[in-house]
Amino acid sequence: MTVVTKPQAAPLRRLPGVEGIWVFVAADMAMFAILFVSFMQGRLAEPALFEASRQTLDVNFGGINTLILLTSSWLVALGVVAVRQGRAERLPALLAAALACGLAFMVSKAIEYGGKLAAGITMLTNDFYMFYFTLTGIHLFHVTAGNVVLVVLWVKARNGAFTQDNCVTLECGATYWHMVDLLWIMLFPLLYLLR
């Protein structure tokens, strides 16, 4: 007698987290897209001013900040994968390292801002710097909020809150943190590299 079995259905794929986090990410990205378009319009209107101002930015700071945030996002992703694979005990250390990267970004940005302010450069200096301080300032606010999220996730992880069957909150926090990283990946070339 031959036994006929139904083929196993592939597990349903889903977006990480809940729908609300994706609505938030889409709205935030749309706001930044409007700011990016405004920046490009300003650059087209005053190319010499924007280029001269761009050259005063330290590409090394921008590059280091990019590496810091990419590393932080990678650590958060490793944490989510660890929980999904049943190794939640790894999560607190990974989140702590990601948080350290987030704090390093904030320190680096403070040093960069301090240098600009010491040189007498503010957001009122010209249109480029208005965009520079506005875009990076809003992003820095996002990084600060992301660091708070990472602290909350770290506390929950230390208390054993996340398991293979219960990681939606972790996924939401990771999604937000990846958005912060993605925004910087767009800001860095736009402000520091675009000629």
Side-chain angles (χ1 to χ4, degrees):
M1 173 192 284
T2 305
V3 177
V4 178
T5 59
K6 285 186 172 180
Q8 290 281 338
L12 292 176
R13 299 194 81 166
R14 65 173 182 79
L15 286 173
V18 296
E19 292 82 7
I21 191 69
W22 291 99
V23 171
F24 174 81
V25 166
D28 216 36
M29 296 298 280
M31 178 198 68
F32 268 93
I34 292 167
L35 291 170
F36 294 159
V37 169
S38 297
F39 174 86
M40 291 307 295
Q41 287 175 331
R43 184 171 179 77
L44 288 172
E46 299 179 277
L49 172 76
F50 273 60
E51 178 57 20
S53 298
R54 181 199 66 79
Q55 289 181 14
T56 67
L57 298 182
D58 189 338
V59 176
N60 293 324
F61 268 116
I64 289 167
N65 285 337
T66 302
L67 289 175
I68 287 170
L69 286 182
L70 285 172
T71 301
S72 185
S73 255
W74 176 64
L75 291 164
V76 169
L78 287 176
V80 172
V81 169
V83 171
R84 287 180 181 163
Q85 293 176 345
R87 296 180 291 137
E89 70 280 356
R90 296 186 63 213
L91 183 59
L94 290 166
L95 289 176
L99 176 61
C101 290
L103 294 173
F105 179 92
M106 292 174 68
V107 168
S108 174
K109 206 74 203 146
I111 293 169
E112 187 176 10
Y113 282 165
K116 291 286 171 267
L117 296 174
I121 297 170
T122 70
M123 70 184 312
L124 301 177
T125 299
N126 63 36
D127 285 350
F128 175 87
Y129 290 114
M130 183 269 303
F131 279 111
Y132 167 77
F133 281 106
T134 300
L135 289 168
T136 60
I138 294 171
H139 180 263
L140 184 58
F141 173 79
H142 282 71
V143 171
T144 304
N147 282 333
V148 171
V149 168
L150 290 177
V151 167
V152 169
L153 294 175
W154 177 75
V155 169
K156 288 178 162 287
R158 289 193 49 165
N159 293 328
F162 303 117
T163 65
Q164 286 173 297
D165 300 322
N166 181 24
C167 63
V168 172
T169 303
L170 175 63
E171 291 173 343
C172 288
T175 299
Y176 176 82
W177 193 246
H178 295 320
M179 178 199 70
V180 170
D181 188 21
L182 177 61
L183 288 171
W184 183 256
I185 289 170
M186 291 187 281
L187 281 171
F188 173 54
L190 188 72
L191 293 172
Y192 292 79
L193 302 177
L194 185 66
R195 295 171 186 258

